[in-house]
Amino acid sequence: MVKSNDSHDTRWKTREVSVGNVPVGADNPIRIQSMTTTDTLDIAATVRQSIELAEAGCEIVRITAPSIRAAKRLGEIRHQLNQKGCTVPLAADIHFLPQAAMEAVEHVEKIRVNPGNYADRKKFQIREYTEVQYEEELQRLHDSFSPLVKRCRKLGRAMRIGTNHGSLSDRILNRFGDTPLGMVESALEFIRIAESHGYHDIILSMKASNTKIMIQAYRLAVQKMKEEGMNYPLHLGVTEAGDGEDGRIKSAVGIGSLLYDGYGDTIRVSLTEDPVNEVPVARELAARAVQLQERKGSHKVNRFPSCVNPFEYQRRQARPIQMAQDLFAGSGFPPRLIVKTHCSLSEMQQLVSAVCHVQTERKEDGIEGLWVNINDKEELKQFAILEETLRSVIPFFIVELPKDADTGAFFSNANIVWFAEACTNGNLEDLLGTGKPVALNLSDPLLTGEMLKFFKDQSDKPLILALDAKDTDPVTGYRELAQQLQDAEIHCPIWIRNTGNNFIQPINSTSDNLLEASLLSGSLLCDGIGDCIS
């Protein structure tokens, strides 16, 4: 697959599609959507929740229409909303029945169909289709889908062709497999039918609960659309994202990564909570992604450098480094979690208590590396006590020594990773000479020839590279860093650092911080970049 080499400084330009009074795509803002959780047959409850969503800032409200009976109720729901002065466009979510879609299209501004189940019934059959048989299947699909397309065109309704990873048809699965390509081809079958009738008011989605698959599918959809001269707007969403922090993190990784790369015209953050809670999260996520794009300014890079395969997950090759007994960072191992403490070493009891609480509460994904500030010789002594106290619960410690400290004063059996601020601080070779891992913090992703030579000469040493750049956004910076290392055949592990330099300022709340860190780190991890993370 040929990789895209688009310049990466704006949203991908799509055509404009009007959903009622809300234009989507082109130069319009990223539109915010949500979905009612009421029983559609309960008209009063659905109207009430639709108004709540609109008042919270939701610009398009989706309502499920799993039956003809439910689809008919949409007419009364639309009527009551209009009477109450609520003109928010409604989208009918069609499950299996073309008849329900044909009813719903009479009442709402947008129809959402799933190519995997609109005209197909999943039989889970393994079947080899001849070309003739496949064309017969496509003709059957054409005959089933065309009436809805024609009615949408006549009434001026928009349509979302929304592929779900978990509901691909037997036909698609047998030809393309359960893959991002299968998801894209499933949608393209329906788009081609729509276009054959001169209908173009289409919005496309490629949703999955696996964020890596979701990201790859959207990227591939854009590539395939470009090849066929299409530019339909994209609706972004992660299915079954969950609730609380988990749901917000998962949505920020999937949706935020794509928005950051310039893809996406409308979004929904799908949480298993009151749908009103989805709206502020989606608005904040969209705002931060746009601000991060603007931060690039005139700095143009390839959207996907050659070290990143946008259509297939490939972990960057990094030489494994032993951080502690039975714990390595690098290829073949999960990214290691590093946490920086903001407690002073003089607050020993508070620090130990906080760390032990975290490790007890999060047994499966607790802290692996604890970063401790050491400012003077007295704190050096306190650290020795801390390390011995926490040795059984913390695998390794990140230590930045004061300038006059003696590395030889550290006991040899401690699992320590030295932290160095720059190549030029004079003690980097000394630190590497101790045999312990060294994390080198870079302030610029563009490495000099001298630095690359040094890293190459030290290729047998346990060196980890981190980036805390002030003048570039971190995703672009880390991609550039990974590309330079690949070109120079240097395989140091990379530590993804989320710091104040990375974030859009000001950070208004813990939630904002969480969303942005998830966007930045998640984007890189889904690109296969990152062996440690903090």
Side-chain angles (χ1 to χ4, degrees):
M1 182 66 65
V2 178
K3 295 182 178 64
S4 168
N5 61 356
D6 304 336
S7 64
H8 178 183
D9 61 336
T10 58
R11 272 167 63 192
W12 180 54
K13 190 67 172 286
T14 57
R15 69 185 300 135
E16 183 174 279
V17 172
S18 292
V19 182
N21 58 3
V22 176
V24 175
D27 295 321
N28 294 292
I30 296 167
R31 301 301 187 181
I32 306 302
Q33 298 193 33
S34 186
M35 185 174 182
T36 60
T37 55
T38 56
D39 183 346
T40 307
L41 298 177
D42 187 341
I43 293 175
T46 304
V47 168
R48 183 168 57 251
Q49 193 171 75
S50 297
I51 292 173
E52 290 172 353
L53 287 169
E55 290 176 344
C58 179
E59 296 169 283
I60 300 171
V61 174
R62 183 155 56 109
I63 302 174
T64 185
S67 65
I68 298 173
R69 186 180 173 208
K72 287 181 177 179
R73 298 292 175 96
L74 294 172
E76 182 60 25
I77 291 168
R78 176 75 277 168
H79 175 68
Q80 289 194 20
L81 286 171
N82 289 343
Q83 281 191 323
K84 295 176 185 294
C86 181
T87 59
V88 63
L90 300 182
D93 190 31
I94 304 302
H95 293 243
F96 297 97
L97 297 178
Q99 300 94 319
M102 293 302 293
E103 175 65 34
V105 75
E106 302 296 321
H107 312 297
V108 298
E109 289 77 15
K110 180 182 175 187
I111 297 289
R112 185 264 178 168
V113 296
N114 180 349
N117 58 30
Y118 182 81
D120 291 303
R121 287 293 179 270
K122 203 170 184 65
K123 299 177 181 177
F124 300 96
Q125 292 179 344
I126 298 176
R127 175 183 171 188
E128 291 295 328
Y129 290 88
T130 66
E131 288 302 319
V132 172
Q133 290 172 327
Y134 204 86
E135 287 301 318
E136 290 174 349
E137 284 286 294
L138 292 180
Q139 184 59 50
R140 179 182 62 78
L141 181 64
H142 187 282
D143 295 342
S144 179
F145 185 49
S146 291
L148 179 62
V149 171
K150 292 177 181 178
R151 194 61 181 158
C152 282
R153 183 182 179 189
K154 183 174 182 178
L155 296 175
R157 310 302 198 206
M159 180 187 295
R160 172 155 70 94
I161 297 176
T163 302
N164 272 1
H165 180 232
S167 59
L168 298 179
S169 68
D170 289 338
R171 178 184 64 261
I172 289 293
L173 287 173
N174 281 292
R175 174 154 291 198
F176 300 101
D178 188 14
T179 62
L181 177 59
M183 295 171 65
V184 174
E185 289 295 337
S186 179
L188 288 175
E189 288 180 350
F190 276 63
I191 292 176
R192 294 179 190 120
I193 294 170
E195 289 189 337
S196 74
H197 297 291
Y199 177 73
H200 301 281
D201 291 330
I202 298 166
I203 296 171
L204 195 62
S205 67
M206 298 277 132
K207 297 176 75 172
S209 59
N210 183 311
T211 51
K212 287 190 292 187
I213 289 174
M214 172 246 191
I215 290 169
Q216 292 159 20
Y218 275 103
R219 290 171 174 174
L220 188 58
V222 172
Q223 184 73 11
K224 288 289 187 179
M225 280 199 285
K226 288 178 180 178
E227 292 172 2
E228 298 198 25
M230 303 173 181
N231 65 336
Y232 293 107
L234 296 172
H235 169 74
L236 307 184
V238 179
T239 57
E240 303 171 1
D243 61 4
E245 286 190 353
D246 288 348
R248 286 158 176 77
I249 290 170
K250 195 171 183 180
S251 293
V253 170
I255 298 171
S257 298
L258 289 162
L259 289 176
Y260 172 87
D261 282 326
Y263 301 140
D265 304 282
T266 169
I267 66 173
R268 179 198 172 194
V269 172
S270 180
L271 302 175
T272 51
E273 303 176 15
D274 185 326
V276 172
N277 295 343
E278 299 176 353
V279 179
V281 180
R283 293 177 68 179
E284 183 63 35
L285 183 56
R288 291 200 166 268
V290 169
Q291 288 172 342
L292 280 166
Q293 278 202 331
E294 291 173 347
R295 180 173 171 176
K296 298 180 184 68
S298 61
H299 180 63
K300 293 184 179 181
V301 298
N302 284 347
R303 195 182 298 269
F304 303 114
S306 63
C307 66
V308 174
N309 184 339
F311 311 122
E312 182 180 350
Y313 176 76
Q314 292 177 352
R315 178 82 177 270
R316 172 183 171 270
Q317 291 300 305
R319 185 171 65 87
I321 289 177
Q322 186 169 10
M323 314 291 275
Q325 186 176 3
D326 300 325
L327 194 146
F328 292 78
S331 296
F333 302 95
R336 300 306 180 184
L337 177 61
I338 296 170
V339 172
K340 186 172 185 177
T341 175
H342 296 285
C343 291
S344 166
L345 284 171
S346 62
E347 304 171 277
M348 183 79 68
Q349 186 174 353
Q350 179 184 345
L351 179 54
V352 170
S353 177
V355 169
C356 290
H357 174 73
V358 170
Q359 298 299 72
T360 301
E361 290 292 312
R362 306 185 68 92
K363 294 179 181 178
E364 298 299 320
D365 55 353
I367 301 169
E368 293 173 302
L370 183 66
W371 186 354
V372 180
N373 281 330
I374 299 178
N375 299 305
D376 52 41
K377 291 183 179 180
E378 181 59 34
E379 287 191 347
L380 202 60
K381 297 176 184 177
Q382 293 173 327
F383 171 76
I385 300 171
L386 179 72
E387 190 277 335
E388 186 174 0
T389 304
L390 293 177
R391 186 177 297 176
S392 62
V393 294
I394 294 294
F396 64 90
F397 292 81
I398 307 289
V399 176
E400 182 178 8
L401 290 174
K403 292 182 179 179
D404 59 345
D406 178 11
T407 58
F410 274 80
F411 29 92
S412 60
N413 64 341
N415 293 322
I416 290 171
V417 176
W418 303 121
F419 184 84
E421 272 293 353
C423 263
T424 57
N425 63 3
N427 68 342
L428 183 58
E429 288 189 67
D430 292 339
L431 293 176
L432 286 169
T434 66
K436 297 185 184 299
V438 177
L440 175 62
N441 189 54
L442 302 169
S443 58
D444 192 321
L446 298 177
L447 305 176
T448 65
E450 183 180 356
M451 293 168 71
L452 287 170
K453 182 179 184 304
F454 177 81
F455 297 154
K456 192 80 170 176
D457 291 342
Q458 302 292 327
S459 59
D460 61 332
K461 300 291 176 57
L463 181 63
I464 302 164
L465 298 181
L467 179 64
D468 189 17
K470 296 181 180 179
D471 299 325
T472 185
D473 73 277
V475 176
T476 297
Y478 272 106
R479 284 176 175 172
E480 288 185 340
L481 175 62
Q483 186 63 54
Q484 290 177 88
L485 295 176
Q486 176 176 285
D487 292 343
E489 298 183 346
I490 296 169
H491 304 291
C492 300
I494 288 178
W495 169 7
I496 300 173
R497 291 189 62 203
N498 288 298
T499 72
N501 286 336
N502 294 352
F503 294 132
I504 299 297
Q505 300 296 334
I507 296 298
N508 297 317
S509 69
T510 303
S511 176
D512 298 346
N513 199 332
L514 177 71
L515 288 178
E516 194 163 330
S518 302
L519 188 165
L520 298 172
S521 300
S523 180
L524 291 165
L525 292 172
C526 287
D527 284 343
I529 298 171
D531 306 289
C532 297
I533 182 170
S534 62

